[in-house]
Amino acid sequence: MWQKFKNLDIGIKIICIVSLIVIVCITGMTVVTTKQTSEILIDEAEKLASNVAARMGSLIVGQMDQGFYSVKTSTITLEAFLHNPNNESQSVMETIVYAMLDSSDIGAYAYVYLDRDDFANERIQNPKHRLPNGRFQILVADKNSGTDSAVEVVQANEKILSIPSVQAALSNGKPNIGVPMEIDIGGGTQCIVAFNFPLLIAGKVQGVVGMLVNLDALGKEILSQNLSVFKGDYRFLVTDDGIVAAHPRSNYFGKRMWDVNNNRTTQNIKQVVQSHENGVFEYLNTNGDLSYAAIYSFEIGHGMDEFWSVLVTIPRTSIFASLHSIITISVASSIVALLLIVGLLYWYVKTQVSSRIRNVWRVLVEFFAYLNYKTDVAPRELRPRAFDEIGKMAIAINENISHTKENLAATGQIVTEISQIVTDAKEGRFGKTISAASKNPSIEQLKCVLNEMSTTLYDIVGDNLADVAAVFDAYKHNDFTKRVQDAKGLEVGLNELGDSIATMLKLSNEYANALEESTHAIKDAMNRLIEGSHAQTSNLEQTAGAIEEITSSMQNVSARTSEVIT
């Protein structure tokens, strides 16, 4: 793979490497941005949920405390009034209870119950205030609690006394806030919570003053979609014991939240709620969605040690829905940016780098072919598009092409002159020198050597061997009168040789003439000698005959001597 990559064009390599870097950078940036965005979204979602929970808590506290302190104030007023009751007491008490309920936005019922004989049976002025057991009770109902007030006095109802918190106030003489519960007092089942204050007259519990808060009306405000900040979020209200006071699922009312939704995250929520803490925690809601739950705990009724908590749950999918959109947009933008960058890079590299490099490469190939004498046509010079590295390279190549052309032209001229000198040398002509100059040191050295050699040969041999050959040819034909004009070097020697031969021939001629004269004298002497020889020969022949006869005689004497001896 790496070998294949190395064999790619440089433009493709640049595009691949830059594209890889851009992809890595964009991917890294997208990952970091996604992570940071995720953290910011979670942080902002937690802040938003906490703010919503705190706002809901403040709203509930305000409305609850409004009813609570209305009951408390009315209790104080009634206690003071009941120390000295009169005939107008019952109507005044009715007015107080009426005003108590009318001042509350979330009160469903307000009541006063007296366990006194002076407020019982026939002493009860208004039959609506008489319970079946003859005891006194003022019961006021708001038929439109939470909206426009429609407060009216209704028939006393003993179901009020069946409320556990009412019984607790009568038995222990302490104010209390009940637990959320359902009750039907004639107008249909309602979800309520009771505020109760005992009536203490002379230190004895003689009755109870209370209000039933309409949790349905309060729940409408809590569960209103106007408070929704994320898709799928919801809010609910619980006591510190986990009793659900308001929930989108009405069947959860009055049940403990960790009983209806029992999981690990709910147990964590339980600890937070019971410890009256605030914060944002992971929570698997009743829809099975992993969520974040913002908890805001608050006290109802100052000093009552009664804490409730409002929970705002936001599904993670809703929080990250915008993140998914951001990721989609980021990825799409990254792809578009990548395509744009790669496209522009491809265009730029192809037109401003690769094509220019290819032109430089083409010219270099042609230049080296020209330099190595593979072609006699010099490459065309490059036209630099810019003065960057490639442009400077093109300028340098153009300068080298120009210098090389000049050098090769000069070298060609020198070679032409050398060829002419060699041709002349072949024909026996010497003395010419090379006048052209070259920037090549070796060529210049060769030129100097050849010039020196030509000059030396001129000085030694002369300027034209043809003249020497003609002289030698004349000498060959015994013509020693021919000479080399303006002789130099060897030609001088040849001329001197001709002069010497001519001188020698003159002397030889003189010697020949003298010899001829001597020859004639010798001839005459020879003739005379021949004649004398002939005479001597005749005499010698006669002498020889005599000698032969003497010899024959000697041989005969010798033979006879031998015979005598033997």
Short mmCIF file of all heavy atoms in Angstrom, two decimals, residues 139-160:
data_model
loop_
_atom_site.label_atom_id
_atom_site.label_comp_id
_atom_site.label_asym_id
_atom_site.label_seq_id
_atom_site.Cartn_x
_atom_site.Cartn_y
_atom_site.Cartn_z
N LEU A 139 -68.56 24.88 57.61
CA LEU A 139 -67.88 24.34 56.44
C LEU A 139 -68.16 25.26 55.25
O LEU A 139 -69.32 25.48 54.91
CB LEU A 139 -68.36 22.92 56.13
CG LEU A 139 -67.67 22.22 54.93
CD1 LEU A 139 -66.17 22.08 55.16
CD2 LEU A 139 -68.31 20.86 54.70
N VAL A 140 -67.08 25.80 54.69
CA VAL A 140 -67.17 26.70 53.54
C VAL A 140 -66.46 26.04 52.36
O VAL A 140 -65.35 25.50 52.51
CB VAL A 140 -66.55 28.07 53.83
CG1 VAL A 140 -66.67 28.99 52.63
CG2 VAL A 140 -67.20 28.70 55.06
N ALA A 141 -67.08 26.08 51.21
CA ALA A 141 -66.52 25.43 50.01
C ALA A 141 -66.32 26.46 48.91
O ALA A 141 -67.10 27.41 48.76
CB ALA A 141 -67.42 24.32 49.52
N ASP A 142 -65.24 26.25 48.17
CA ASP A 142 -64.98 27.06 46.97
C ASP A 142 -65.16 26.14 45.76
O ASP A 142 -64.36 25.26 45.50
CB ASP A 142 -63.56 27.62 47.00
CG ASP A 142 -63.32 28.62 45.87
OD1 ASP A 142 -64.16 28.70 44.96
OD2 ASP A 142 -62.27 29.30 45.89
N LYS A 143 -66.27 26.34 45.06
CA LYS A 143 -66.60 25.46 43.94
C LYS A 143 -65.66 25.64 42.75
O LYS A 143 -65.58 24.77 41.88
CB LYS A 143 -68.04 25.72 43.49
CG LYS A 143 -69.08 25.49 44.60
CD LYS A 143 -69.05 24.04 45.09
CE LYS A 143 -70.15 23.81 46.14
NZ LYS A 143 -70.12 22.41 46.61
N ASN A 144 -64.94 26.76 42.70
CA ASN A 144 -64.02 27.03 41.58
C ASN A 144 -62.62 27.36 42.11
O ASN A 144 -62.02 28.37 41.72
CB ASN A 144 -64.53 28.19 40.72
CG ASN A 144 -65.84 27.87 40.04
OD1 ASN A 144 -66.02 26.77 39.51
ND2 ASN A 144 -66.77 28.81 40.07
N SER A 145 -62.13 26.56 43.01
CA SER A 145 -60.82 26.84 43.60
C SER A 145 -59.75 26.85 42.50
O SER A 145 -59.74 26.01 41.61
CB SER A 145 -60.46 25.80 44.65
OG SER A 145 -60.43 24.51 44.09
N GLY A 146 -58.92 27.82 42.62
CA GLY A 146 -57.84 27.96 41.63
C GLY A 146 -58.21 28.90 40.52
O GLY A 146 -57.36 29.34 39.77
N THR A 147 -59.50 29.23 40.34
CA THR A 147 -59.91 30.19 39.30
C THR A 147 -60.69 31.30 39.98
O THR A 147 -60.30 31.77 41.04
CB THR A 147 -60.75 29.48 38.23
OG1 THR A 147 -61.87 28.84 38.86
CG2 THR A 147 -59.92 28.40 37.53
N ASP A 148 -61.78 31.72 39.35
CA ASP A 148 -62.63 32.74 39.97
C ASP A 148 -63.28 32.18 41.22
O ASP A 148 -63.79 31.06 41.23
CB ASP A 148 -63.69 33.22 38.98
CG ASP A 148 -63.07 33.90 37.77
OD1 ASP A 148 -61.95 34.43 37.92
OD2 ASP A 148 -63.69 33.88 36.70
N SER A 149 -63.23 32.96 42.26
CA SER A 149 -63.75 32.48 43.55
C SER A 149 -65.28 32.29 43.50
O SER A 149 -65.99 33.11 42.93
CB SER A 149 -63.38 33.48 44.66
OG SER A 149 -63.91 33.04 45.88
N ALA A 150 -65.73 31.17 44.05
CA ALA A 150 -67.18 30.89 44.19
C ALA A 150 -67.40 30.27 45.55
O ALA A 150 -67.79 29.12 45.70
CB ALA A 150 -67.65 29.97 43.08
N VAL A 151 -67.08 31.07 46.59
CA VAL A 151 -67.12 30.59 47.98
C VAL A 151 -68.55 30.63 48.49
O VAL A 151 -69.28 31.60 48.28
CB VAL A 151 -66.20 31.44 48.87
CG1 VAL A 151 -66.26 30.95 50.31
CG2 VAL A 151 -64.77 31.40 48.34
N GLU A 152 -68.93 29.55 49.19
CA GLU A 152 -70.26 29.50 49.81
C GLU A 152 -70.21 28.58 51.02
O GLU A 152 -69.36 27.69 51.12
CB GLU A 152 -71.29 29.00 48.81
CG GLU A 152 -71.03 27.61 48.29
CD GLU A 152 -72.10 27.15 47.32
OE1 GLU A 152 -73.14 27.81 47.22
OE2 GLU A 152 -71.88 26.12 46.65
N VAL A 153 -71.12 28.86 51.93
CA VAL A 153 -71.25 28.01 53.13
C VAL A 153 -72.08 26.80 52.75
O VAL A 153 -73.15 26.92 52.14
CB VAL A 153 -71.91 28.78 54.28
CG1 VAL A 153 -72.09 27.87 55.50
CG2 VAL A 153 -71.09 30.02 54.64
N VAL A 154 -71.58 25.63 53.11
CA VAL A 154 -72.27 24.39 52.78
C VAL A 154 -72.58 23.64 54.06
O VAL A 154 -72.13 24.02 55.16
CB VAL A 154 -71.42 23.51 51.85
CG1 VAL A 154 -71.20 24.22 50.50
CG2 VAL A 154 -70.08 23.16 52.48
N GLN A 155 -73.34 22.60 53.92
CA GLN A 155 -73.74 21.81 55.07
C GLN A 155 -72.54 21.15 55.72
O GLN A 155 -71.66 20.63 55.05
CB GLN A 155 -74.76 20.73 54.64
CG GLN A 155 -75.26 19.84 55.74
CD GLN A 155 -76.02 20.62 56.81
OE1 GLN A 155 -76.88 21.49 56.49
NE2 GLN A 155 -75.73 20.36 58.07
N ALA A 156 -72.51 21.22 57.03
CA ALA A 156 -71.44 20.56 57.80
C ALA A 156 -71.38 19.09 57.44
O ALA A 156 -72.41 18.45 57.22
CB ALA A 156 -71.69 20.75 59.28
N ASN A 157 -70.16 18.58 57.39
CA ASN A 157 -69.96 17.21 56.94
C ASN A 157 -69.00 16.52 57.90
O ASN A 157 -67.88 16.99 58.14
CB ASN A 157 -69.38 17.21 55.52
CG ASN A 157 -69.46 15.85 54.86
OD1 ASN A 157 -69.16 14.84 55.47
ND2 ASN A 157 -69.87 15.85 53.59
N GLU A 158 -69.44 15.38 58.42
CA GLU A 158 -68.63 14.67 59.41
C GLU A 158 -67.38 14.03 58.79
O GLU A 158 -66.48 13.58 59.50
CB GLU A 158 -69.47 13.61 60.11
CG GLU A 158 -70.08 12.59 59.15
CD GLU A 158 -71.02 11.62 59.84
OE1 GLU A 158 -71.17 11.70 61.06
OE2 GLU A 158 -71.58 10.78 59.11
N LYS A 159 -67.30 14.00 57.41
CA LYS A 159 -66.10 13.43 56.78
C LYS A 159 -64.86 14.27 57.08
O LYS A 159 -63.75 13.77 57.02
CB LYS A 159 -66.30 13.33 55.27
CG LYS A 159 -67.27 12.23 54.85
CD LYS A 159 -67.34 12.11 53.34
CE LYS A 159 -68.31 10.99 52.93
NZ LYS A 159 -68.39 10.85 51.45
N ILE A 160 -65.11 15.53 57.40
CA ILE A 160 -63.99 16.38 57.78
C ILE A 160 -63.30 15.80 59.01
O ILE A 160 -62.08 15.77 59.11
CB ILE A 160 -64.45 17.83 58.03
CG1 ILE A 160 -65.03 18.46 56.74
CG2 ILE A 160 -63.30 18.68 58.55
CD1 ILE A 160 -64.03 18.62 55.62
#
